[in-house]
Amino acid sequence: MAGVVIENLSTKKLMGIVVLLLLIQIACFLVGGLIAPSPTSAHTHLATKCIDPAISLQKAFVPHGPNACSKVSTFAEATEKNIEADWIVFSIMMPHRPNRMDRSFQYMLGVLSLDIVYKEDNEMGDEPELTILVEMMYNNDDNAQGEWKKMYSINETRKLNCEFFHQKSPEAEGYSYDCEPIPLFELGTVHHKYYLLNIRLPVWEVDPDTQEVVRELNTNLGAVQELSVVEIHQNGGFTLVWLTLKTALFPLVILAMIWFWKRIVQLARPPVLLERTILALAITISILNLPLEWLTFFHDMPYMLLLSDIRQGACYAMLFSFWIIFVGEHMMDQQERNRLRVYWRQVGSMTLGCMCLFVFDVVERGVQLTNPFYSLWNTETGRRLAMIFVVLAGICAFLYTIFLIFMVYGVFKNISMKRAALPHMVAARRLHYEGLIYRFRFFMIFTLICAVMTAIFFIFSQINEGNWKWGEDKHNIQYSSAFFTGVYGMWNVYVLAVLMLYAPSHKNKPTLQNGDTSEGSQVEFEMSTNVSSTAPSTSAALNPSGAASQAGTSEVYQLLGKVAND
Amino acid sequence: MKLEWFVAFFFIPTASLLAKKTTAASSTKWWSMVLSPSMTNSVTDTQGIINIIDPKLKILNKRQRRLVSQNRGTLAAINRAVKMAVSECRYQFKERRWNCPTFNKDRGPESLFGKILNSGCRETSFIYSITSAAVTHSVARSCSEGTIESCTCDYKFRGDSGNDWEWGGCSDNADFGHRFGKKFVDSGEKGRDLRHAMNLHNNEAGRKTVSSEMRRECKCHGMSGSCTIETCWMRLPTFRTVGELIKERFDGASRVTMRNDGSPSDRETESSFVPYNPSHKQPASRDLVYFENSPDFCERNDKFGTPGTRGRECNATSLGVDGCDLMCCSRGSTTTEIKVKERCSCTFHWCCKVKCEECTSFRTVHRCL
């Protein structure tokens, strides 16, 4: 690769670019922290116990309002009135009155929790299984007056994980089991105003043809007292801020990308592998930036969740490939690379890992398009399959990290060897290597800062969440929103910087009469390092990523390797 | 006609008692709404909201009435709260000499828990604390049930705009329960004496117990279900847990006395009293406080309005307070054998009984003399 912009840039211009990127970064962070609300919110819905003696699955049972169902407040009352278990319909209307759902909520999740008390004569059995018959309906009329339209009618079985912390004795009657909340549904779209859940816990499984009872269901649940569903959605304010951010970053990266590719095309030679990789990275991040989500305000797009997972995954895959290729192309041994095939092991392991997650995601989210109550984790085989995917992805990530560390180690070894040899080299050759070393170190430090910052922000937002208390003043900084917008902005800035600084330079190769070029570039390097390291305190960053924090740990090794070599 | 009956039933005795002397009970009339016949039926109407223009509101003071009419649906929640408090109190004290007796009808509305409220003993502190906790708990529960509309997004406290919900979701329901409970329950405690300070402190202790027992549950829903995005919510504790904790505080309640430096504290906070025993430390916000020793509850006591333990069932084998020796205050007990008919070998579905057999057994019962 010929000289790139960063080698030939004057300190002044470099500073200008760094300051510009820094401003973008700070803006992203502040927008998340000060303007956006918290990314998601959860609302608890305690089910109303409606009575349906006819066991009719056609009717909608609404908890309140003018068309409210007839109901009981406790099951003791139901027993008194000789109401049977399969007459009970747990009815939940979302959201709580007087609110309505908004399309900006993007997605909606439901988590089911049961309140089961210990009763000596109605104890919970071993490995209780919960079979539920759920109907999901929606309504778009004002105040949910009109008819409820059916969305899904689904029969699901879930494992119940409960513990009882008291001694099982007559004295312990009336104490509750401690049950884990059960994931209920994931809707990739919030297109309607009101949603209604009618949940039944059937006691018989009836053969549809013969109308005979096949077996009993829900036999060892124990004494159920209450059923509640926690509904989680993305906050509308966060969606708006997020989409605005994407809309603003999209043209920026596109412009930088066009500029970068124009420079490449102007060269006499065909583009090298690294340049093509940078272009590919810019393209994937632009696809991620493309604010497709605006369309959800007009169209019902339940596949948006799957789509954004894929876009995000592709972006990670590209970023990881880019790192491998960049490091490989700066190996400074005499070996000819410049072909993707050379990196098949590294890129292959990473691709395999990403494919695992991709398949997992497509199965999970794909099936959820037709049955939002589905999850791979619900069944035994599904859980095993999911575990295989996740473990395989983990192994691949581990392999990738090892490869990357080895390569970075190799580069630093070569750098120190070349450094020792530099004074004895021919001037042109020396400049070539100095350029390579400078480029590489700048890139290393920049990447390291971004990865470490991502990890730090992630941990910080988690700790901050952990200390969260209810009833606190709501007007303080939203750390988790700032984390998301900040990290997203940071990786965009990263790609922008790579596009701008690693584009081929217009200037001719440094001339020989300029004897102190190497020194000059060294100074520049030192300065840019200083600037970069002040950036993180105010900056933040691509989407939340566990992978990025993994990368962060590998970067630490790289740093150690570097120090050792220096 | 029904209305007049209500007024006669609740208002007149209240008024006559108030006229005699203002007692602690004046602030706690609301407890007696549970005695109202229309309220004891727990099946709500089709609207799920009990009509607020109801004569029993006479038992609420002006501020409480305003609160209840501003927040539709809270009346039912308060009604349920009183029932919860009574049954939990009975459960926690079933093995003690004072077993949380309640009185209805004959004695006028403030006598739900009897004259014991006029004293400042440990038991009084428990009653105040558990009822206050029950209101917070029940209101928060009603919020998540959707029967109180004003709580889920408290527009009233943040100005108007339905935008709040779309922009940033809603605050936790327990927060509303706490605030509503504070306004509603504390509204009657206006005096500056030790009794009011004690009641306010115990009310707050009850509410704090509910809030501090909230459990945090989380769900990860980031990319491919990873924990990069995690949403958490608070889950209301069961009322049994709350009752148990308040009972623990009851056992370790601290006796307090008026601050004796003569400076009348101008705020009705815990700073207006100090520990009775100067070597003890100031009670914490969740501790129960009292200023008067309890009677032994052995015999009928007219000052405290307690019936004594005559006729109470006791446990012959226990060495604790429920044992015949302690329960009957060494008066001895009678032993009888009774035939009990019970439902047994029932089969259940998850909620309701399917069928039972009837069994007969003999049981030895000891009762205090």
Side-chain angles (χ1 to χ4, degrees):
Chain A
M1 193 159 138
V4 295
V5 171
I6 186 165
E7 290 166 63
N8 302 325
L9 212 56
S10 70
T11 312
K12 214 172 160 186
K13 279 186 182 165
L14 186 69
M15 286 288 284
I17 291 177
V18 168
V19 166
L20 180 77
L21 294 179
L22 209 60
L23 283 178
I24 297 177
Q25 175 62 76
I26 292 169
C28 289
F29 190 72
L30 289 183
V31 157
L34 299 177
I35 299 175
S38 62
T40 54
S41 56
H43 304 91
T44 311
H45 294 258
L46 191 68
T48 302
K49 303 168 191 100
C50 293
I51 308 297
D52 173 27
I55 320 183
S56 60
L57 293 171
Q58 305 309 318
K59 227 180 121 202
F61 291 86
V62 190
H64 22 240
N67 305 318
C69 63
S70 59
K71 54 194 135 186
V72 285
S73 56
T74 62
F75 287 131
E77 192 190 324
T79 311
E80 249 169 54
K81 291 180 173 172
N82 290 322
I83 288 166
E84 292 185 21
D86 44 4
W87 296 6
I88 308 270
V89 182
F90 291 97
S91 170
I92 291 160
M93 194 172 125
M94 298 177 290
H96 282 302
R97 295 177 297 172
N99 305 315
R100 61 172 65 165
M101 288 292 182
D102 193 86
R103 291 184 181 176
S104 62
F105 294 169
Q106 299 289 301
Y107 59 81
M108 180 163 78
L109 314 180
V111 179
L112 181 81
S113 55
L114 285 173
D115 178 25
I116 300 173
V117 298
Y118 172 76
K119 279 194 179 153
E120 221 185 5
D121 51 4
N122 189 11
E123 225 184 287
M124 185 184 287
D126 292 330
E127 299 200 353
E129 259 191 4
L130 176 73
T131 306
I132 46 172
L133 221 76
V134 201
E135 323 238 335
M136 194 177 217
M137 284 162 266
Y138 72 89
N139 200 325
N140 279 326
D141 297 335
D142 284 338
N143 298 316
Q145 299 282 329
E147 199 193 329
W148 288 89
K149 287 158 205 98
K150 199 155 277 186
M151 293 173 79
Y152 303 101
S153 182
I154 274 145
N155 196 342
E156 278 283 324
T157 304
R158 302 284 152 104
K159 265 212 160 60
L160 212 56
N161 284 324
C162 295
E163 271 182 88
F164 193 61
F165 292 113
H166 301 268
Q167 181 123 37
K168 287 183 177 169
S169 64
E171 281 82 56
E173 282 219 355
Y175 282 85
S176 291
Y177 286 90
D178 201 35
C179 294
E180 270 175 33
I182 312 159
L184 186 65
F185 65 88
E186 294 196 17
L187 269 184
T189 166
V190 187
H191 198 67
H192 307 294
K193 285 179 188 160
Y194 303 98
Y195 289 84
L196 180 71
L197 277 179
N198 280 352
I199 303 173
R200 292 159 200 264
L201 275 56
V203 286
W204 315 111
E205 189 180 310
V206 181
D207 192 299
D209 302 325
T210 58
Q211 295 299 314
E212 274 172 35
V213 174
V214 181
R215 64 185 176 123
E216 283 189 69
L217 296 170
N218 292 323
T219 45
N220 49 4
L221 290 185
V224 178
Q225 300 292 300
E226 304 283 356
L227 181 149
S228 53
V229 170
V230 178
E231 175 263 322
I232 298 167
H233 62 248
Q234 182 163 300
N235 282 329
F238 183 79
T239 309
L240 293 180
V241 169
W242 186 249
L243 292 186
T244 311
L245 185 70
K246 279 181 137 190
T247 315
L249 287 172
F250 179 67
L252 269 183
V253 177
I254 289 283
L255 281 177
M257 189 171 82
I258 292 170
W259 176 82
F260 173 82
W261 199 243
K262 261 191 177 164
R263 286 228 157 172
I264 304 264
V265 171
Q266 281 166 8
L267 292 177
R269 58 169 176 79
V272 294
L273 176 66
L274 186 57
E275 286 159 354
R276 278 180 284 150
T277 313
I278 292 176
L279 180 75
L281 179 68
I283 290 172
T284 47
I285 205 154
S286 295
I287 293 173
L288 184 67
N289 281 344
L290 184 70
L292 265 183
E293 287 89 341
W294 287 119
L295 294 178
T296 58
F297 285 83
F298 311 103
H299 292 283
D300 194 5
M301 302 168 90
Y303 43 84
M304 197 42 98
L305 218 51
L306 175 65
L307 205 62
S308 54
D309 271 8
I310 292 174
R311 288 196 288 173
Q312 215 173 310
C315 212
Y316 288 136
M318 199 56 236
L319 192 65
F320 295 152
S321 310
F322 168 66
W323 286 343
I324 283 288
I325 291 166
F326 189 92
V327 174
E329 294 298 300
H330 287 77
M331 205 49 121
M332 283 175 272
D333 47 9
Q334 301 312 314
Q335 204 180 322
E336 177 60 36
R337 287 193 172 78
N338 202 16
R339 277 177 309 139
L340 194 59
R341 207 173 296 158
V342 180
Y343 304 101
W344 70 270
R345 260 169 297 155
Q346 293 87 341
V347 174
S349 72
M350 192 227 33
T351 313
L352 184 67
C354 287
M355 281 313 284
C356 282
L357 291 178
F358 174 72
V359 171
F360 169 77
D361 224 71
V362 165
V363 173
E364 174 97 355
R365 298 254 198 250
V367 178
Q368 275 171 4
L369 290 180
T370 52
N371 174 8
F373 295 87
Y374 175 86
S375 170
L376 260 183
W377 301 97
N378 287 337
T379 58
E380 202 51 54
T381 37
R383 192 174 318 174
R384 258 183 234 139
L385 210 66
M387 271 322 277
I388 291 172
F389 284 137
V390 171
V391 167
L392 216 60
I395 292 171
C396 291
F398 177 74
L399 279 178
Y400 169 83
T401 316
I402 297 284
F403 283 136
L404 190 65
I405 289 169
F406 264 106
M407 287 178 76
V408 172
Y409 174 74
V411 173
F412 276 114
K413 215 169 80 181
N414 286 343
I415 285 180
S416 60
M417 267 159 58
K418 288 274 148 44
R419 271 254 180 94
L422 273 182
H424 315 292
M425 283 181 189
V426 187
R429 198 174 150 83
R430 194 178 76 210
L431 284 175
H432 168 72
Y433 278 115
E434 272 172 352
L436 273 179
I437 292 169
Y438 173 49
R439 253 188 263 166
F440 184 76
R441 290 187 61 179
F442 182 86
F443 171 82
M444 257 343 284
I445 285 165
F446 188 44
T447 306
L448 193 67
I449 287 167
C450 286
V452 168
M453 286 322 289
T454 306
I456 289 173
F457 283 126
F458 181 69
I459 293 164
F460 187 70
S461 72
Q462 295 281 323
I463 291 171
N464 201 60
E465 278 281 304
N467 294 336
W468 179 77
K469 282 190 209 98
W470 67 276
E472 254 178 22
D473 186 16
K474 292 187 90 82
H475 298 289
N476 48 20
I477 300 162
Q478 290 294 340
Y479 293 101
S480 37
S481 294
F483 162 73
F484 289 131
T485 55
V487 171
Y488 191 80
M490 185 164 81
W491 289 102
N492 266 288
V493 163
Y494 179 86
V495 173
L496 277 176
V498 167
L499 283 174
M500 290 200 267
L501 300 177
Y502 288 84
S505 174
H506 268 327
K507 289 179 191 163
N508 292 326
K509 285 223 166 166
T511 44
L512 287 181
Q513 67 256 35
N514 196 354
D516 52 8
T517 310
S518 65
E519 215 179 288
S521 83
Q522 194 60 38
V523 168
E524 275 179 18
F525 167 68
E526 299 290 345
M527 291 201 63
S528 61
T529 322
N530 290 339
V531 170
S532 309
S533 52
T534 52
S537 57
T538 39
S539 63
L542 198 81
N543 249 355
S545 87
S549 53
Q550 268 173 23
T553 51
S554 72
E555 304 291 352
V556 172
Y557 289 112
Q558 292 164 14
L559 183 70
L560 287 175
K562 175 181 165 288
V563 169
N565 281 297
D566 278 359
Chain B
M1 208 193 88
K2 210 176 173 190
L3 187 134
E4 283 158 354
W5 185 81
F6 262 104
V7 173
F9 184 67
F10 289 116
F11 188 65
I12 294 172
T14 315
S16 60
L17 262 168
L18 281 172
K20 265 186 266 170
K21 194 187 176 188
T22 312
T23 62
S26 65
S27 61
T28 51
K29 280 180 293 176
W30 58 273
W31 289 343
S32 53
M33 70 164 65
V34 75
L35 302 175
S36 149
S38 75
M39 293 293 250
T40 47
N41 186 359
S42 53
V43 181
T44 47
D45 62 346
T46 46
Q47 292 277 337
I49 292 167
I50 291 169
N51 196 356
I52 50 163
I53 311 154
D54 196 292
K56 69 189 157 299
L57 284 176
K58 292 282 182 202
I59 57 178
L60 303 180
N61 66 31
K62 206 170 152 194
R63 204 162 160 213
Q64 288 172 332
R65 253 178 301 182
R66 204 181 58 228
L67 268 172
V68 164
S69 55
Q70 272 174 358
N71 300 286
R72 267 160 61 90
T74 44
L75 204 57
I78 293 160
N79 182 52
R80 181 177 55 207
V82 180
K83 282 189 207 156
M84 271 160 55
V86 169
S87 87
E88 192 56 36
C89 178
R90 289 213 181 117
Y91 176 85
Q92 295 295 342
F93 283 86
K94 64 180 188 293
E95 289 174 354
R96 295 177 66 103
R97 284 183 193 155
W98 181 79
N99 62 347
C100 207
T102 51
F103 310 90
N104 49 21
K105 316 243 162 172
D106 319 318
R107 304 211 191 166
E110 59 274 82
S111 305
L112 178 67
F113 289 99
K115 275 198 248 166
I116 195 159
L117 297 178
N118 298 351
S119 73
C121 63
R122 269 173 197 258
E123 283 74 12
T124 322
S125 71
F126 183 85
I127 293 171
Y128 273 88
S129 190
I130 196 93
T131 44
S132 164
V135 170
T136 299
H137 191 278
S138 178
V139 167
R141 187 183 179 278
S142 291
C143 283
S144 56
E145 208 172 17
T147 48
I148 303 176
E149 285 187 27
S150 48
C151 48
T152 56
C153 254
D154 33 29
Y155 306 121
K156 281 198 197 93
F157 297 90
R158 274 194 268 162
D160 62 322
S161 91
N163 260 344
D164 267 353
W165 154 256
E166 271 105 40
W167 183 262
C170 295
S171 62
D172 215 279
N173 291 326
D175 202 13
F176 179 82
H178 195 106
R179 272 183 290 132
F180 180 87
K182 194 177 174 69
K183 279 188 190 158
F184 183 87
V185 176
D186 288 358
S187 69
E189 306 289 340
K190 280 189 186 130
R192 286 192 179 173
D193 56 355
L194 186 54
R195 180 193 308 283
H196 286 103
M198 162 185 153
N199 290 346
L200 284 172
H201 179 95
N202 293 330
N203 286 344
E204 184 62 21
R207 288 188 290 269
K208 281 242 169 76
T209 308
V210 176
S211 342
S212 61
E213 277 308 299
M214 304 284 291
R215 268 182 307 149
R216 191 161 174 262
E217 288 181 345
C218 296
K219 159 101 177 135
C220 291
H221 53 98
M223 186 187 149
S224 303
S226 64
C227 275
T228 47
I229 306 177
E230 195 186 30
T231 306
C232 296
W233 61 94
M234 299 307 266
R235 188 170 167 184
L236 213 56
T238 61
F239 199 60
R240 174 57 43 83
T241 318
V242 175
E244 219 163 50
L245 283 165
I246 297 181
K247 175 70 184 338
E248 267 170 36
R249 300 280 169 167
F250 167 85
D251 292 330
S254 28
R255 188 170 173 188
V256 293
T257 181
M258 206 66 171
R259 200 175 271 281
N260 59 359
D261 54 9
S263 65
S265 175
D266 45 13
R267 287 189 308 128
E268 299 140 21
T269 56
E270 50 262 53
S271 61
S272 61
F273 52 72
V274 289
Y276 184 73
N277 183 340
S279 64
H280 290 174
K281 60 174 198 259
Q282 186 77 17
S285 64
R286 283 171 62 193
D287 288 334
L288 297 192
V289 298
Y290 66 99
F291 61 82
E292 197 175 343
N293 277 333
S294 304
D296 59 10
F297 299 111
C298 281
E299 300 290 336
R300 186 187 168 86
N301 183 329
D302 282 333
K303 185 194 164 215
F304 286 88
T306 53
T309 63
R310 275 176 208 283
R312 281 280 300 280
E313 205 176 299
C314 60
N315 184 347
T317 53
S318 166
L319 293 173
V321 200
D322 61 329
C324 286
D325 202 29
L326 283 172
M327 176 70 83
C328 307
C329 312
S330 311
R331 291 188 305 257
S333 57
T334 59
T335 307
T336 45
E337 186 131 312
I338 55 162
K339 196 169 149 186
V340 225
K341 275 185 184 174
E342 275 176 327
R343 283 186 292 192
C344 59
S345 14
C346 299
T347 51
F348 284 92
H349 282 151
W350 52 267
C351 80
C352 318
K353 253 191 291 300
V354 180
K355 59 172 191 287
C356 295
E357 282 167 31
E358 200 166 79
C359 312
T360 323
S361 60
F362 289 92
R363 204 160 70 93
T364 316
V365 175
H366 307 275
R367 283 188 191 281
C368 292
L369 280 169

